[in-house]
Amino acid sequence: MTQWWRDAVFYQVYVRSFRDSDGDGVGDLRGIIDGLDYVQSLGVDALWISPCFTSPQVDHGYDVADYRDIDPLFGSLADMDDLVAQAHRRGIRITLDFVPNHTSDRHRWFQQAVAAGRGSAERERYLFRDGRGERGELPPNNWMSVFGGHSWTRVPEPEGAPDGPAQWYYHLFAAEQPDLNWRNPEVVAEFEDVIRFWLDRGVDGFRIDVSDALMKDPDFPDTDGGWPVIPKHPDGEVHEVYRRFRKVFDSYLGDRMAVIETGADDETVAGFIRPDEMHLAFNFRFVKAGFDAGHLREAIDSSLAANARVGAPTTWVTDNHDTPRSVGRYSQGTQLLGSYVPATTAAADFDEARGLQRARAMALLLLALPGAVYIYNGQELGLPNVDDLPESALQDPVWEKSGRTNRGRDNCRIPMPWTAAGPSFGFSTAAQTWLPMPADWGRFAVSAQEGEPSSMLELYRSALRMRRLLPALGRANVEWVDSPEAVLRLRLNSDGEAVEVLLNTSPAPVPLPAGRVLLASADVSAGSLPSDASAWVQVAQ
Ligand code: GLC
């Protein structure tokens, strides 16, 4: 087994926002096919394609109504087959988004559950409970939804159902996303079959949505603050589910894989990537660390140590479709605190030049650390957040579900600019896109950065090229070298070659070690590393 995924670079395609082929202002699968030359020019190994299955799009595809078909908004099964074939021809692997925690309320199973009434086998596929109060008129417990508001919704009982009050169903996210009952073997079997369906079509793996939350405390106890109780024990039932999934993956040729999404602590995360469970897990502590040497170092050490104990690599990421873009976050240097759907960064404090400098510096850290890497489309262009969308343009369900207190995640989901001019900057033939693109978005376009040595795009391309050539990058053990507190300095040794990575978060320049500068995020011709910059230096062993 090659285990290609251990040090692979994945590129996350948020389908709606990558490239539109049919002029409706929403990205689609043929758009991804049209963008494959670009993806190949970046030098990534694989794509993660955000959900494109049949869905009413309440949570932009994270509400799946049919797991075995493509939503017409994005194309067809034939388009997906074509995408897999064309990507494979270029040596690029394809991974899809797998959403097992909940279905859409339009999923056949949920419709059957509502129609079948209390006590039925159909209801056993979801989490239906009687309410509290004299006539069951109060929700079964006080748990809140991640998106804001209650996590229980009541449905009328059908005629002819056994006597009793109308029941409530549980949803960790929106009411249109009912949670499945993962203690029901029928649910496990169905999803094993969904995995097979896509692996049979040649897909190389999955990103697993909300991976750790499949099992809720079956007693549904009230909690302080209404946060749900999700058992975390390393021998808990949820791990049985992943062991079952692993057997399905291992029954296929070609080293198929899955990456786990969980915001849990590093030890808990490592529990999901033991040798008989899944393959990779995002390091969200690194996402949240901000541009802060101390927090970054802690996030690196703690994840590497926890994962080493289970023999798994770490998966480095700074950006995704749920988190304000790092150019905005790093401009303030702040840690991302709070829950997993973060509050919008304060646009007023945004310093674009500083944010870009720091994002460039972080790119070289990200791509040097040993393990897998995920890059979110537009990150390689240095796209900032768009925090000033008019309220009427907001699309993320978080906005409405939070009672309009949280503007949600649209700020990091604006369509990609491909050309410096033209309607929607080459993203679409339409001028109107599903989220409006800022008037000056052309500054960040692929065509504006291509061949421009000082651009973010060319920095990513150079770094990815070097990472492929030098085994120390992305594959070596991390050794820390003594350095001032605000400077990260690490040494990567491999096969007679050593590379030092320096990241300067201090306000003053620091000296560079003796050696050959392979790549730097800023001008180092003076022989020192400026503030908010990083460099790769080949040093004597
Ligand atoms: C995941 C997705 C997020 C979605 C949520 C519910 O965290 O990344 O976009 O809203 O799950 O499926």
Side-chain angles (χ1 to χ4, degrees):
M1 286 240 273
T2 60
Q3 301 201 326
W4 60 275
W5 38 268
R6 291 188 83 92
D7 58 8
V9 179
F10 294 77
Y11 183 77
Q12 179 189 354
V13 173
Y14 195 67
V15 184
R16 293 179 154 262
S17 299
F18 183 68
R19 204 171 161 124
D20 174 23
S21 74
D22 62 1
D24 65 356
V26 182
D28 47 42
L29 297 186
R30 297 227 74 85
I32 305 177
I33 294 173
D34 293 343
L36 280 177
D37 283 344
Y38 171 72
V39 168
Q40 192 171 17
S41 79
L42 288 175
V44 298
D45 303 293
L47 298 183
W48 152 26
I49 297 178
S50 58
C52 48
F53 315 108
T54 314
S55 160
Q57 303 291 322
V58 169
D59 188 17
H60 298 134
Y62 285 100
D63 47 323
V64 181
D66 183 350
Y67 289 84
R68 296 179 182 80
D69 207 351
I70 301 294
D71 196 284
L73 184 63
F74 301 125
S76 64
L77 270 178
D79 293 331
M80 179 55 89
D81 290 343
D82 199 17
L83 171 56
V84 171
Q86 297 216 34
H88 282 174
R89 215 168 292 145
R90 291 170 157 88
I92 300 166
R93 290 183 156 94
I94 296 287
T95 65
L96 303 183
D97 215 312
F98 183 68
V99 189
N101 180 68
H102 43 266
T103 68
S104 158
D105 61 346
R106 306 284 180 80
H107 189 282
R108 172 178 52 91
W109 272 10
F110 189 72
Q111 310 251 298
Q112 290 168 355
V114 171
R118 50 189 298 123
S120 62
E122 287 84 350
R123 288 222 169 163
E124 273 305 302
R125 294 167 176 155
Y126 291 90
L127 299 170
F128 280 86
R129 292 287 185 280
D130 287 339
R132 295 194 285 198
E134 239 167 78
R135 285 177 305 282
E137 71 279 14
L138 301 171
N141 74 5
N142 74 342
W143 293 3
M144 301 297 289
S145 143
V146 173
F147 287 168
H150 239 292
S151 60
W152 295 93
T153 294
R154 201 176 194 192
V155 288
E157 286 297 316
E159 254 180 65
D163 275 352
Q167 286 193 305
W168 300 72
Y169 68 89
Y170 177 74
H171 47 89
L172 180 58
F173 295 91
E176 296 86 347
Q177 294 166 296
D179 280 44
L180 286 159
N181 172 14
W182 278 89
R183 294 188 173 89
N184 182 343
E186 203 188 340
V187 172
V188 183
E190 167 70 2
F191 278 83
E192 285 176 327
D193 196 63
V194 170
I195 295 175
R196 282 194 205 98
F197 177 86
W198 291 107
L199 296 186
D200 283 342
R201 297 189 97 88
V203 157
D204 298 283
F206 299 93
R207 173 260 191 189
I208 304 183
D209 189 58
V210 206
S211 315
D212 55 343
L214 304 187
M215 302 287 178
K216 288 85 191 170
D217 186 324
D219 298 333
F220 286 102
D222 274 345
T223 53
D224 290 343
W227 197 245
V229 182
I230 300 188
K232 289 222 157 79
H233 197 277
D235 297 324
E237 298 155 288
V238 70
H239 295 286
E240 271 315 308
V241 172
Y242 289 110
R243 289 193 185 105
R244 295 272 303 262
F245 287 174
R246 180 60 182 249
K247 292 202 173 94
V248 178
F249 284 98
D250 286 350
S251 71
Y252 282 78
L253 291 174
D255 220 0
R256 319 290 175 105
M257 55 73 66
V259 59
I260 286 275
E261 186 211 21
T262 159
D265 61 276
D266 292 322
E267 291 299 329
T268 307
V269 170
F272 287 91
I273 45 177
R274 289 175 285 189
D276 58 347
E277 295 192 39
M278 296 293 91
H279 307 73
L280 299 174
F282 296 122
N283 178 358
F284 279 117
R285 192 159 163 192
F286 188 76
V287 179
K288 291 181 178 169
F291 194 73
D292 177 299
H295 290 305
L296 284 167
R297 185 174 169 152
E298 275 167 27
I300 293 169
D301 280 342
S302 137
S303 174
L304 285 175
N307 292 354
R309 284 195 277 281
V310 297
T314 287
T315 300
W316 309 100
V317 57
T318 60
D319 288 70
N320 62 35
H321 65 293
D322 290 328
T323 310
R325 284 193 180 269
S326 56
V327 169
R329 292 183 350 248
Y330 296 150
S331 133
Q332 291 147 312
T334 46
Q335 266 188 293
L336 235 185
L337 298 172
S339 75
Y340 124 123
V341 177
T344 309
T345 44
D349 303 340
F350 178 54
D351 175 340
E352 183 181 292
R354 187 167 62 185
L356 279 169
Q357 274 313 111
R358 291 178 171 178
R360 289 173 64 84
M362 285 295 293
L364 296 194
L365 178 63
L366 185 74
L367 291 167
L369 290 167
V373 177
Y374 277 74
I375 298 168
Y376 173 47
N377 61 200
Q379 176 181 343
E380 79 284 11
L381 301 177
L383 294 185
N385 292 301
V386 178
D387 286 309
D388 56 359
L389 290 174
E391 289 181 0
S392 59
L394 295 179
Q395 303 278 333
D396 186 356
V398 168
W399 170 239
E400 290 297 340
K401 309 275 174 194
S402 69
R404 303 192 166 194
T405 56
N406 184 340
R407 287 171 60 92
R409 302 159 289 182
D410 292 326
N411 65 352
C412 66
R413 297 176 174 178
I414 309 297
M416 289 242 305
W418 292 83
T419 54
S424 59
F425 306 102
F427 165 73
S428 169
T429 52
Q432 300 283 325
T433 51
W434 76 280
L435 284 172
M437 299 166 82
D440 67 347
W441 215 225
R443 293 189 292 139
F444 298 101
V446 172
S447 71
Q449 299 198 32
E450 211 139 48
E452 191 53 60
S454 63
S455 70
M456 184 72 100
L457 175 58
E458 293 302 340
L459 180 74
Y460 267 91
R461 282 181 173 159
S462 304
L464 283 160
R465 201 175 311 123
M466 242 170 238
R467 180 185 161 105
R468 275 200 307 280
L469 293 174
L470 297 184
L473 297 168
R475 297 169 197 92
N477 286 332
V478 170
E479 283 171 34
W480 293 104
V481 182
D482 269 352
S483 62
E485 213 177 286
V487 178
L488 287 186
R489 180 169 174 187
L490 51 96
R491 194 184 169 93
L492 306 166
N493 283 307
S494 171
D495 293 342
E497 145 202 302
V499 174
E500 281 199 14
V501 180
L502 284 95
L503 175 85
N504 182 9
T505 71
S506 80
V510 293
L512 281 170
R516 188 163 72 98
V517 176
L518 298 170
L519 193 59
S521 70
D523 182 8
V524 292
S525 51
S528 58
L529 184 66
S531 170
D532 293 339
S534 65
W536 291 347
V537 185
Q538 196 163 34
V539 296
Q541 261 201 324

